[in-house]
Structures are given as C-alpha cells and as structure tokens.
Amino acid sequence: MLQKRVIPCLLLHKGGLYKTEKFKKPTYIGDPINAIKIFNEKEVDELMFLDIDATILHKEPNYKMIEDIAGECFMPLCYGGGVKNIEQMKKIYALGVEKISLSSQAILNPPLIGEAAGIFGSQSVMVTIDVKKDFWGKTKVFIHNGKTNTKLNPIEFVTIVERLGAGEIVINSIDNDGMMNGYDIELLKALKAVLNVPLIALGGAGKMEHIKEVFEQANVDAVACGSLFVYQGPLKGVLISYPPYEQIQTLLDGGTHL
C-alpha cells in the first residue's frame, strides 16, 4: 500500500450515489454497490462514504445500507453521516466499518471525539471539517451541508480536534467541491503546519496533476477525490474509475506519466 493514500469519496443521497458542486446540485451517479465492485477490481487504497442526508433530516445512519456496503467492500472503509453517539458507532463498527467520520457532532458535541477515541482507538475516529469563505472572504468551519457558519477558524479548530483524540482529519473545501480546479493549497499548508495527525485533502481534484500538486506543495498525508473518479471528460459523463497502482506510484515519485 502506498504511504500516500488516494481515496475515492462517495456521497450517499436518497439511497443512491450522488456528486455535488459546492455542496449543491446533487447529480445521480449510480448504485453504491456497483461502484464498490468497480473499486474492488481497481485495488483502491480505501473508500470513504459520506451520507449527506442523515444529519440534515435528523435520521439515524442507514444501517442496512452500511451493512451492504461493508459486506461488498474489500478495502478499508470509512463512513460518515448522522453519527451522534457511541451506541451508533458501536453498531457501525460491528457491521465491518474500520473508520467513522464525525462532522457536525465534532462541533456540537466535541467530547464525543475523545470518548470515541478512548473506546475504539484514535485510528478508528476521523473528523471531517467542511470549510468555505464567508461573506468577508475569511475561511470558516461550516456544518449542516454548508448551511450553518460556526464562525470557527479552521486552523484553530483542527488543533482542538487533534487534542481531543481524532486519528485523522479531513478538510473538505465547499468552495472547491465538484469544481475540479484543484485543492486549496494555501489553507492545507497552514493546517499541515499545526497538525501532528494525518491530514486528508478533499474537494477540488479534476486531474492527476492536482493530486501531485497537493502532495508536493502542502505535504498532506492523503487525498480524497469525488469528481475525478466518477466523471469522464469535460461534459462529465459518468464513468467510475481509479488509476492503476503504477500510475499513482509514478506520479508520487515525481514522474511525468499521468
């Protein structure tokens, strides 16, 4: 397995697989199980599934769907969406999920991070932080699918999350989501400078060069990609894909074969 990970991030919405742009305009991509079968064949590092409905609709995680996904998935699996307490986390881990991502609850109930890390281990507890620029152009932490501005500074907040026991932190750029124009390199550099736990960049990848840039310039530990692995070409035709191991290795070793 690569030291630097490249992780497909898939969004669950209305029971299917969707892709968004700036957390809006959800576009149907296909069936989650069919996507997993493709990624199994491609020998993906790991998979991340985020349910974008559960928290907004005040629903429990869809345990049946999680069970189906985990049962089909041959690689490490992370799930996030609607997780509010330890009992829910126990159920999800028991279904075969290796990591759980906390998002809104990391802000609304920060002690849950430490409690979960103490029970399940930090390596199993991830925090996904959604960020975007506010009216004044300042990058802030948002929750509820980008609708609520917490006014929190992400650079300050990640240090709190790390101190509470999160094993990994995902920074999800709402402004870059689905735009396929590259990652927010400067923000990621600033975050990486204050963190000791792995940092995962999410939001913005449109070509393999973007992955190379964010690894080299921001020194992140992993990248997560949505559009890059579900769309093909400028018209965004749906095609689930993942580059061969050798292609990623060449890319990260400084090669030019993309």
Side-chain angles (χ1 to χ4, degrees):
M1 183 170 293
L2 295 168
Q3 184 177 4
K4 299 282 191 180
R5 291 165 291 146
V6 180
I7 306 166
C9 180
L10 306 173
L11 304 181
L12 298 170
H13 174 58
K14 297 181 178 178
L17 205 61
Y18 281 73
K19 186 68 196 80
T20 55
E21 292 183 6
K22 296 187 176 183
F23 281 29
K24 299 175 182 177
K25 303 179 185 177
T27 300
Y28 181 70
I29 300 299
D31 177 72
I33 301 301
N34 288 338
I36 293 171
K37 289 178 180 178
I38 295 171
F39 285 127
N40 281 339
E41 293 177 359
K42 300 291 186 180
E43 298 183 346
V44 169
D45 287 333
E46 61 186 83
L47 273 182
M48 181 184 301
F49 276 91
L50 302 178
D51 187 328
I52 60 175
D53 293 337
T55 296
I56 290 292
L57 299 177
H58 305 289
K59 289 185 174 181
E60 287 258 331
N62 186 334
Y63 300 113
K64 179 62 171 68
M65 179 176 286
I66 296 170
E67 182 178 18
D68 291 343
I69 288 170
E72 191 66 44
C73 194
F74 293 166
M75 73 287 291
L77 175 63
C78 172
Y79 169 83
V83 180
K84 295 182 179 180
N85 57 56
I86 294 295
E87 290 307 310
Q88 291 173 332
M89 297 180 81
K90 286 180 180 177
K91 288 182 183 178
I92 294 168
Y93 286 126
L95 294 174
V97 172
E98 282 82 9
K99 300 177 185 177
I100 292 176
S101 173
L102 301 173
S103 186
S104 293
Q105 288 302 308
I107 287 109
L108 301 175
N109 181 22
L112 178 61
I113 301 170
E115 186 179 1
I119 296 171
F120 308 111
S122 290
Q123 76 284 350
S124 299
V125 182
M126 183 184 288
V127 171
T128 297
I129 302 172
D130 300 330
V131 300
K132 72 175 177 179
K133 289 182 170 60
D134 63 14
F135 180 78
W136 292 274
K138 301 291 186 182
T139 301
K140 299 294 183 182
V141 177
F142 281 70
I143 56 174
H144 301 139
N145 288 356
K147 295 179 175 64
T148 304
N149 185 354
T150 68
K151 310 287 180 69
L152 290 168
N153 179 316
I155 297 174
E156 297 173 357
F157 184 60
V158 294
T159 61
I160 296 171
V161 168
E162 178 180 7
R163 188 167 65 247
L164 287 169
E168 293 182 294
I169 296 174
V170 180
I171 293 296
N172 190 4
S173 171
I174 299 172
D175 294 321
N176 291 13
D177 172 56
M179 296 294 98
M180 303 181 75
N181 292 322
Y183 293 93
D184 188 337
I185 300 288
E186 293 308 311
L187 174 62
L188 292 165
K189 284 168 65 175
L191 292 165
K192 182 63 179 173
V194 301
L195 282 173
N196 296 304
V197 296
L199 175 65
I200 302 172
L202 173 59
K207 54 187 179 180
M208 293 298 289
E209 287 93 334
H210 291 148
I211 294 176
K212 182 180 177 69
E213 288 169 1
V214 75
F215 275 133
E216 289 183 348
Q217 297 179 32
N219 194 32
V220 296
D221 301 277
V223 295
C225 313
S227 299
L228 181 62
F229 298 145
V230 300
Y231 288 138
Q232 178 73 26
L235 298 179
K236 293 186 175 180
V238 174
L239 178 65
I240 305 294
S241 64
Y242 188 82
Y245 176 92
E246 294 79 9
Q247 186 176 348
I248 298 176
Q249 194 169 40
T250 299
L251 178 77
L252 301 185
D253 286 344
T256 57
H257 175 56
L258 304 172

